[in-house]
Every structure is written in C-alpha cells, then in structure tokens.
C-alpha cells in the first residue's frame, strides 16, 4: 500500500461523494452571490440570475442591484470555483511530479515569476495599450518565462530530476520575490503599492466575465490531461526505476507534466494572484477521503478546492466589510489548523514509512 494511503474499507464511496460535492458547489456559488453588504434578498438574487442566464427583463429601478449580482458577484463566485479547482488539481500533479508531499503549485517558482509581470503593470503601468487585459497578460507571460528559466536551469544531460526541479524552483522563488519586493519599495507609496500587495496575497476583486472563460478553459484542459494520464501519475509517484520497469518514460512524463502545471498555474495566478495553501492542503484532504489512487483523487480534489475557495472569498469580503481582505490570508488562517487536524485525525503519513 503506498505511503499515506488508507485501507479500502475506510475509503468513502466515490459516486455519492462526487455528487455531494457537486451539489455543495452549486449551493456555495449561490450563497456567495447572495451574501453581501448591499442587502439584496435571496428571491431577488435568484430572479436576477435567471434573468441573466435566460435574457429576461428587469425593472429600471433594479438595474443597480442586477449589476451587483450579475456583473460583480456571479463572475467572482465562478472565478473562485475555477481557481480553487485549478490550484487543487495542479497541487495533485505537482506532488506526483516531484514526489514530495509538501509540494504545491508555487514551489516551482512560477507564481513568484508571475508576480514580477503583474507588478510591472500595477506599479509602472506597463502594457497599458492592452487595457483590462494588461495585468493578466503580463502575469501569464512572465509565468511562462519563469517556467522556461526554471526548466533550463534544472535540466541536465541526465534529464529533469525531481530534486533538481524543486531546488531550482525554490531558488527562483526567492529570486523573483526579491525582485518583486524591490519593485514595490521603489514605486510610489499609495494605491499602486497597496494593489500590488493585495495581488501578491491573492485577490478575486478583479473578476469579470472576460477573465472567467480563459481561466476555466485552462483549468478544464489541464484536468482533461490529468484524468487521461492518471494511471501514469500513479506509476510516476512510485519512482523512476519502477516507472521504467512498467513501461512509463519518467523523463518524458515529467517534462510534459511540468509544462502543464506551469501553464495552468500561470493562467490561474494571472486572474487571482498568488493564493497559497489550497494546492498543498486540498490534495491531502482528498487522499484522506478516497485513498492515494490519482484517478480517485483527481475526481474529488478539484471539487473540494472549488467549494473551499468560494467560501474563503465570502469570508474575505464580509469579515471586515467594507474592507476586503486578501484571499491568501484567509486560506492560510483556515488551512493551517484544518491541515493539522486532518493529519492527526487520520494518522496520515506524509510520504513516510
């Protein structure tokens, strides 16, 4: 039995669990849209959503409330679900990629690389000609550039080994973080610096109907690839010698998986900032529920992550309203004790004997 696995008799049955999580996600999105400081009733929220989905009409005196529900809260709730699912899925992939139970999507230095591009827009107005697409474009392009840099630095004539990859990614993380800190301190103190810090800690405040489809497409493509190669992930997690003996080329699989993780992470970080802890905590929570088989974990982890981040966004908006807290702060505050409690309750071993 793989380290960290639970006996089959203690695993939750997958179909009812996935169904329950799907229903919980729908309810969570609706609650996220309905909860706020504007005092819009639940019946009106449902009516505005129906009008937006079907093209129905609303009264002239309801335009303001409709705009809040349909243009602000609903895309934000959807983006929270997409980002939570994406971070959880690439968290599963990253832990298989480098065979490290403490890995998350940001350990490869991609998020800190994206932060450099985002801050060039927030602090210095770069790519202003792209308008509303400037921030996400700069973050995504710099994420891809950091991916290429990490790959080039980590790769040797012997291939791309997990240890070199995580060490190189960690080193690049600190390097990019230093560049970001220098940019923040060299910029004018004011709204720009505050926006930069908010983005660095994760925020869904910039959600719009333009940002949701692109992030959702990247996450769905990544999930599709992961589901198709889930058996290979099981083999890859066993080590290179076992993988080769079972007919899986670990070097090629690791290279493709690294590119996929980097692309999805870059797309997600570009629209939400650096939201930490989701990609670390949720994969382990999913394994505690359904076991270590990646086919089962990948069916549960994205839904768990989506539900989690939707409610985290609600808390970030309402806890100190009208002040909005960074989402990454809430995920860490909630995630640390939950992670410890889950670990101790299940007797989970993080890759140990």
């Amino acid at each position: 039995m793989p380290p960290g696995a639970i006996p089959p008799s203690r695993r939750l049955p997958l179909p009812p669990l996935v169904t329950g999580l799907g229903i919980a996600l729908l309810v969570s999105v609706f609650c996220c849209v309905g909860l706020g400081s504007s005092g819009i009733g639940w019946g009106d929220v449902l009516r505005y959503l129906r009008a937006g989905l079907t093209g129905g009409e609303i009264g002239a005196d309801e335009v303001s409330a409709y705009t809040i529900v349909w243009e602000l809260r609903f895309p934000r709730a959807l983006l929270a679900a997409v980002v939570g699912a994406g971070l959880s899925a690439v968290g599963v992939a990253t832990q298989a990629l480098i065979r490290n139970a403490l890995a998350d999507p940001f350990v490869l230095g991609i998020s800190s690389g994206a932060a450099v591009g985002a801050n060039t827009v927030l602090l210095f107005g770069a790519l202003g000609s792209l308008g509303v697409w400037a921030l996400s474009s700069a973050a995504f392009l710099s994420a891809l550039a950091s991916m290429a840099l990490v790959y080039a630095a980590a790769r040797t004539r012997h291939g791309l080994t997990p240890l070199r990859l995580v060490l190189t990614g960690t080193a690049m993380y600190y390097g990019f973080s230093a560049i970001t800190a220098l940019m923040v301190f060299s910029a004018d103190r004011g709204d720009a610096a505050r926006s930069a810090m908010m983005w660095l800690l994760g925020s869904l405040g910039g959600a719009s109907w333009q940002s949701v489809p692109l992030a959702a497409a990247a996450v769905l493509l990544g999930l599709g690839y992961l589901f198709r190669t889930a058996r290979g992930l099981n083999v890859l997690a066993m080590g290179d010698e076992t993988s080769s003996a079972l007919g899986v080329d670990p070097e090629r699989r690791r290279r493709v998986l690294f590119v996929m993780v980097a692309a999805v992470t870059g797309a997600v970080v570009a629209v939400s900032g650096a939201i930490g802890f989701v990609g670390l905590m949720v994969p382990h929570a999913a394994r505690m529920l359904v076991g270590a088989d990646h086919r089962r974990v990948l069916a549960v982890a994205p839904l768990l992550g989506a539900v989690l981040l939707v409610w985290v966004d609600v808390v970030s908006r309402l806890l100190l309203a009208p002040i909005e807290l960074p989402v990454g702060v809430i995920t860490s505050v909630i995630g640390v004790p939950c992670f410890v409690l889950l670990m101790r309750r299940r007797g989970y071993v993080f890759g140990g004997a």
Side-chain angles (χ1 to χ4, degrees):
M1 184 178 297
I6 59 178
S9 60
R10 296 179 59 189
R11 298 172 186 168
L12 295 180
L14 192 60
L17 179 59
V18 171
T19 302
L21 286 172
I23 295 172
L25 178 58
L26 293 176
V27 173
S28 299
V29 168
F30 179 70
C31 291
C32 184
V33 175
L35 292 171
S37 58
S38 59
I40 303 174
W42 292 101
D44 290 334
V45 169
L46 185 60
R47 187 160 53 86
Y48 296 151
L49 289 176
R50 186 184 302 116
L53 292 171
T54 62
E57 296 181 355
I58 58 170
D61 59 335
E62 298 178 302
V63 172
S64 178
Y66 172 80
T67 301
I68 292 174
V69 170
W70 183 254
E71 297 293 339
L72 298 179
R73 292 185 187 173
F74 192 36
R76 179 167 179 154
L78 293 179
L79 188 63
V82 168
V83 170
L87 289 176
S88 301
V90 294
V92 174
T94 303
Q95 290 167 10
L97 170 66
I98 61 179
R99 301 202 305 273
N100 190 322
L102 297 178
D104 70 357
F106 298 150
V107 76
L108 300 178
I110 298 165
S111 64
S112 55
V116 174
N119 277 320
T120 59
V121 175
L122 293 171
L123 299 174
F124 307 112
L127 301 182
S129 60
L130 296 180
V132 296
W133 299 103
L135 179 61
S136 56
S137 298
F140 183 68
L141 291 175
S142 60
L144 294 183
S146 65
M147 174 201 74
L149 185 59
V150 170
Y151 181 84
R155 180 173 170 79
T156 67
R157 60 188 181 88
H158 300 293
L160 193 68
T161 64
L163 181 59
R164 288 184 64 90
L165 187 57
V166 70
L167 290 176
T168 303
T170 302
M172 293 297 180
Y173 168 83
Y174 285 109
F176 291 135
S177 296
I179 295 173
T180 300
L182 180 63
M183 294 170 68
V184 171
F185 279 103
S186 64
D188 294 335
R189 302 301 180 95
D191 291 341
R194 185 181 184 280
S195 298
M197 292 305 299
M198 191 77 171
W199 191 91
L200 288 173
L201 294 173
S203 173
L204 296 167
S208 67
W209 284 116
Q210 288 77 28
S211 59
V212 172
L214 294 177
V219 171
L220 288 175
L221 288 173
L223 279 172
Y225 172 79
L226 290 176
F227 277 119
R228 189 169 62 86
T229 60
R231 290 180 180 271
L233 293 179
N234 288 337
V235 176
L236 189 65
M238 296 178 184
D240 288 3
E241 291 184 2
T242 303
S243 299
S244 299
L246 294 175
V248 174
D249 183 353
E251 164 64 17
R252 180 179 180 277
R253 181 62 56 85
R254 193 175 292 118
R255 183 170 59 248
V256 176
L257 194 59
F258 173 72
V259 173
M260 187 281 301
V261 167
V264 175
T265 302
V268 168
V269 169
V271 296
S272 67
I275 300 175
F277 220 85
V278 176
L280 171 62
M281 178 183 67
V282 173
H284 288 296
R287 292 189 190 99
M288 292 173 187
L289 294 174
V290 298
D293 188 338
H294 283 88
R295 292 169 296 180
R296 297 170 61 86
V297 173
L298 286 169
V300 172
L303 291 172
L304 274 178
V307 172
L308 170 66
L309 203 58
V310 167
W311 282 106
V312 164
D313 185 50
V314 172
V315 173
S316 72
R317 289 190 291 113
L318 299 182
L319 187 61
L320 296 179
I323 300 174
E324 181 179 321
L325 294 174
V327 176
V329 172
I330 307 298
T331 57
S332 297
V333 170
I334 295 175
V336 171
C338 288
F339 195 50
V340 173
L341 288 174
L342 284 171
M343 178 183 65
R344 293 189 62 83
R345 183 179 180 183
R346 293 285 186 174
Y348 191 78
V349 286
F350 288 81

